[in-house]
Amino acid sequence: MLLIVIPILILLLHHYFNTIPPILQPIFQAISVICANIFIVLPISIILLIRDLISVLFNKEKPVDAKNILITGASSGIGASLAKEYSKPGVILGLLARNEEKLNKVAEQCRKKGAKCEILKIDISDIESLKKALEDFDDRYPIDLLFANAGQLAATRDYHGKVEWEDAYRSYIDVNYVGNIASIMTVYKRMKERKHGQIAITSSIAGWFSTPTTAFYNSMKSALNIFARDLFYIAKPYNIHISLLVPGLIATEMTENPDQPFPHTSNLYESADNLAKITKHQLSYNVFHIGWPYFQNLTNFTLSTYPMRIQLLFSNLMGNYIIKKSSKNGKDIILS
């Protein structure tokens, strides 16, 4: 019945007002989401579940075992945990980041586990140097698996009495988006020629929905989500498997930094080492969306599907909460 009534109402309103009145838009958006989930998303999800179960039971797909791996943002956090997780005899790791001292520490741990490591001290925002380093490494060790993992947490605030974040957009975009895209495309061209490879793109649950006090970071991660989805289709004919790694709240140097944009509540944060284990297992079977902790992913993704007026409400509530919570902890957040 709703499938008949709703289109008729929309047509009538459009005829008389040339648009849906703003006051009614959230209601129509909510009804549309409900109908789409019941009549489209749920049936297709059940079909995909059956297909995947058949594939698991009968195809017996062999797990992929990458040998030549390059990781950007490898000096700490998720990148360092991935490097250690993949380390074993026969594996060659390219560890790329700006901080050579930290890279050496990670490489030392990986070598103890039997891996061969090469350090690439590169600022990912220096695109020409980045492309040359990736191509040189790929010439010697054709890359089986690329982790486009570099990231910089970007806050719309300043702790030092001045609002400077408006002028910082370029550096955040260069690191979080342009640098990652440059890494991916440089390696993708090589993999395309070989018709073989895996690329894992690290995004964040902030790419679904997050506090407005990290506006640059959220938008860059959202862009990576969409890029990974589209590249999955583009790369498929060339036997290149694309995966999207969507971490939730993970305990890293970045999230534990006292200047990071939201209060650190330790019981909400999960281990980067556990994320690396889950990622390795799921990547071995070419899983596209690797979201962990899962329920954090589910919560933020659900929020991103709400009608826009409701999204704005939740965004404002989250922003106010972060400001009040941080102020209580002795940090003054200044927003423009």
Side-chain angles (χ1 to χ4, degrees), residues 233-252:
Y233 170 82
I234 296 166
K236 203 170 184 179
Y238 304 101
N239 195 35
I240 301 172
H241 297 279
I242 307 299
S243 292
L244 177 64
L245 175 58
V246 187
L249 297 175
I250 305 297
T252 67

Side-chain angles (χ1 to χ4, degrees), residues 36-336:
N37 284 331
I38 293 173
F39 298 108
I40 299 175
V41 177
L42 186 59
I44 292 176
S45 297
I46 293 170
I47 293 168
L48 290 174
L49 172 63
I50 294 169
R51 191 197 70 172
D52 291 346
L53 284 172
I54 292 171
S55 177
V56 169
L57 292 172
F58 297 105
N59 288 354
K60 303 296 182 183
E61 184 181 359
K62 292 182 180 179
V64 178
D65 190 16
K67 297 297 183 185
N68 299 337
I69 303 167
L70 193 135
I71 305 170
T72 68
S75 60
S76 62
I78 294 171
S81 291
L82 288 167
K84 289 179 280 188
E85 182 62 31
Y86 276 90
S87 293
K88 65 178 183 179
V91 168
I92 299 171
L93 292 173
L95 306 178
L96 188 150
R98 290 178 298 178
N99 192 314
E100 188 172 9
E101 182 181 352
K102 289 183 178 179
L103 282 175
N104 279 320
K105 289 179 181 178
V106 175
E108 184 180 351
Q109 293 174 298
C110 295
R111 289 175 183 134
K112 286 180 180 178
K113 298 178 74 173
K116 178 180 177 180
C117 296
E118 285 212 4
I119 289 173
L120 290 77
K121 182 182 179 297
I122 301 290
D123 184 338
I124 199 170
S125 63
D126 182 352
I127 302 302
E128 291 306 315
S129 297
L130 173 68
K131 290 173 67 176
K132 186 178 185 307
L134 291 172
E135 289 170 349
D136 288 347
F137 182 88
D138 190 76
D139 285 340
R140 288 175 287 116
Y141 310 108
I143 298 169
D144 299 315
L145 172 58
L146 168 70
F147 282 100
N149 175 73
Q152 182 178 5
L153 197 54
T156 54
R157 72 180 191 187
D158 181 79
Y159 287 117
H160 309 292
K162 296 179 181 179
V163 180
E164 298 175 343
W165 73 273
E166 299 94 334
D167 301 320
Y169 64 88
R170 182 60 188 265
S171 63
Y172 290 132
I173 292 171
D174 285 348
V175 171
N176 289 317
Y177 189 71
V178 177
N180 279 313
I181 297 298
S183 303
I184 294 162
M185 289 293 94
T186 301
V187 175
Y188 174 81
K189 286 173 67 176
R190 299 295 188 94
M191 289 181 172
K192 184 178 175 181
E193 293 174 359
R194 297 191 288 266
K195 288 187 165 46
H196 167 76
Q198 275 186 300
I199 298 174
I201 302 171
T202 301
S203 177
S204 166
I205 58 171
W208 304 133
F209 194 90
S210 188
T211 169
T213 54
T214 52
F216 292 145
Y217 185 78
N218 302 345
S219 59
M220 294 304 98
K221 294 302 183 181
S222 180
L224 286 176
N225 288 352
I226 296 168
F227 178 75
R229 180 200 66 198
D230 294 346
L231 188 62
F232 177 86
Y233 170 82
I234 296 166
K236 203 170 184 179
Y238 304 101
N239 195 35
I240 301 172
H241 297 279
I242 307 299
S243 292
L244 177 64
L245 175 58
V246 187
L249 297 175
I250 305 297
T252 67
E253 289 183 18
M254 183 170 70
T255 58
E256 291 175 350
N257 188 318
D259 285 341
Q260 55 104 7
F262 30 78
H264 185 94
T265 307
S266 58
N267 63 333
L268 294 178
Y269 285 72
E270 299 287 352
S271 162
D273 290 342
N274 287 342
L275 172 63
K277 287 182 174 65
I278 291 166
T279 299
K280 183 182 179 183
H281 176 73
Q282 295 199 18
L283 276 182
S284 70
Y285 290 97
N286 293 320
V287 173
F288 171 71
H289 174 228
I290 304 171
W292 189 82
Y294 179 75
F295 287 102
Q296 290 181 14
N297 263 266
L298 186 62
T299 299
N300 284 44
F301 175 77
T302 302
L303 285 168
S304 73
T305 67
Y306 285 178
M308 189 51 64
R309 288 281 303 280
I310 298 175
Q311 285 192 43
L312 286 172
L313 173 64
F314 275 91
S315 179
N316 290 336
L317 290 172
M318 291 171 72
N320 290 338
Y321 171 79
I322 294 301
I323 290 173
K324 289 177 182 177
K325 185 78 173 177
S326 297
S327 297
K328 287 180 181 178
N329 292 341
K331 300 174 182 177
D332 294 325
I333 300 178
I334 303 173
L335 300 175
S336 65

